Amino acid sequence: VMKALSERHSTREYASKSLSLSDLSDLLWAANGINRKESGMRTAPSALNKQDVDVYVVLPEGSYLYDAKNHQLTLVAEGDHRGAVAGGQAFVKTAPVSLVLISDLSRFGDAKSARSQLMGAMDSGIVSQNISIFCSAANMATVPRASMDNEQLKKVLKLKDSQMPMMNHPVGYFKKSDGIPQGYRHSFPIIALLSRPDSVTIFSSLLQEKFINRFFVSCLVSSSTEKLWISFHGNEYKQWNTCCIK
């Protein structure tokens, strides 16, 4: 759990590969599945145990409702409706799957009351965090979002007036470029002298002393900007970082 928390981050680039059925199954169970069959309790707690959050799965071939009790998907609408989840942000449509979190506020009684809407938002946030932590642990990419085309989603998913779209999560595998996971790429400036021929060696020693014990280094020097870009891979943490030395 500590490793998953330390590595959790939002990612907006995804590989085009579809999620395996096993990974999708685990993702949905982690999000809001039943973890105590005798009582029907979920992996995500909910206010008053009303279990108001329903998870809809939007795939290129159709949109589905996750049936937690039977751990299966029920078809709601055929066709690719990822554009409705995107809400104007094109990157969402590149994710092979999007999870849409819908709170049925009628399960609290008065769907229009501010308290019901507050509890629905809170419960959706808990499910969202389950998704984020699972993705971190399973080496999958996601980002929690509130932007979406609510009216279009209500039509596509055939929602009742009491069902409110709260959040969504595009999910996919990490997109790779030159062997470097995009989700793990970071940049930060470090001051150094490039005039010495052993500057790379000096920086390598700095990395060993200050950051990580073992690393892979590749360099690209730009003569026009006098910047040295060094990418290093920490074996211990399995993360890529990009440093710019000016």
Side-chain angles (χ1 to χ4, degrees):
V1 175
M2 296 300 288
K3 185 175 185 293
L5 287 168
S6 68
E7 294 182 354
R8 190 223 63 79
H9 61 282
S10 295
T11 304
R12 294 171 176 81
E13 291 183 288
Y14 313 96
S16 57
K17 179 182 177 182
S18 299
L19 292 190
S20 69
L21 291 179
S22 176
D23 282 343
L24 179 59
S25 173
D26 290 345
L27 170 64
L28 292 170
W29 181 85
N32 202 19
I34 293 177
N35 62 358
R36 287 153 288 177
K37 290 184 178 180
E38 65 281 357
S39 62
M41 298 295 191
R42 305 293 189 92
T43 57
S46 59
L48 306 174
N49 191 33
K50 295 300 184 181
Q51 301 182 5
D52 57 295
V53 179
D54 292 316
V55 179
Y56 285 79
V57 183
V58 181
L59 298 166
E61 63 270 23
S63 299
Y64 303 80
L65 171 63
Y66 173 52
D67 177 357
K69 182 177 180 180
N70 297 301
H71 191 60
Q72 65 184 23
L73 294 178
T74 301
L75 180 64
V76 176
E78 295 182 346
D80 189 350
H81 300 286
R82 289 176 295 175
V85 183
Q89 294 184 317
F91 79 89
V92 177
K93 293 186 285 186
T94 68
V97 58
S98 282
L99 303 186
V100 182
L101 309 184
I102 307 293
S103 175
D104 188 346
L105 302 177
S106 66
R107 297 175 192 172
F108 295 117
D110 184 1
K112 296 183 179 180
S113 75
R115 181 168 178 77
S116 294
Q117 294 178 13
L118 177 62
M119 290 190 292
M122 176 186 69
D123 290 346
S124 299
I126 295 171
V127 174
S128 170
Q129 185 69 346
N130 276 9
I131 295 169
S132 291
I133 297 304
F134 171 81
C135 286
S136 178
N139 196 31
M140 293 160 63
T142 191
V143 57
R145 306 174 62 252
S147 299
M148 52 190 145
D149 188 336
N150 285 10
E151 294 306 315
Q152 183 62 24
L153 279 175
K154 287 180 179 180
K155 293 179 182 178
V156 169
L157 302 180
K158 303 176 175 62
L159 302 181
K160 301 178 297 184
D161 291 340
S162 62
Q163 290 180 287
M164 181 179 294
M166 292 288 187
M167 300 182 68
N168 65 80
H169 274 261
V171 180
Y173 298 118
F174 282 107
K175 182 179 180 181
K176 295 184 178 181
S177 175
D178 299 327
I180 303 177
Q182 293 288 341
Y184 288 101
R185 189 188 296 269
H186 307 283
S187 299
F188 53 92
I190 295 179
I191 306 301
L193 294 175
L194 290 182
S195 57
R196 296 179 57 172
D198 59 346
S199 59
V200 174
T201 302
I202 293 173
F203 186 64
S204 297
S205 298
L206 176 64
L207 286 178
Q208 285 182 312
E209 178 182 355
K210 298 294 185 182
F211 294 95
I212 50 182
N213 295 324
R214 294 172 303 196
F215 53 88
F216 169 81
V217 177
S218 61
C219 306
L220 174 64
V221 179
S222 173
S223 58
S224 61
T225 58
E226 295 184 348
K227 293 180 179 179
L228 173 66
W229 291 92
I230 297 182
S231 296
F232 63 92
H233 177 255
N235 295 325
E236 181 179 358
Y237 302 104
K238 296 183 179 178
Q239 284 185 269
W240 286 91
N241 296 276
T242 302
C243 305
C244 172
I245 300 180
K246 297 181 180 180

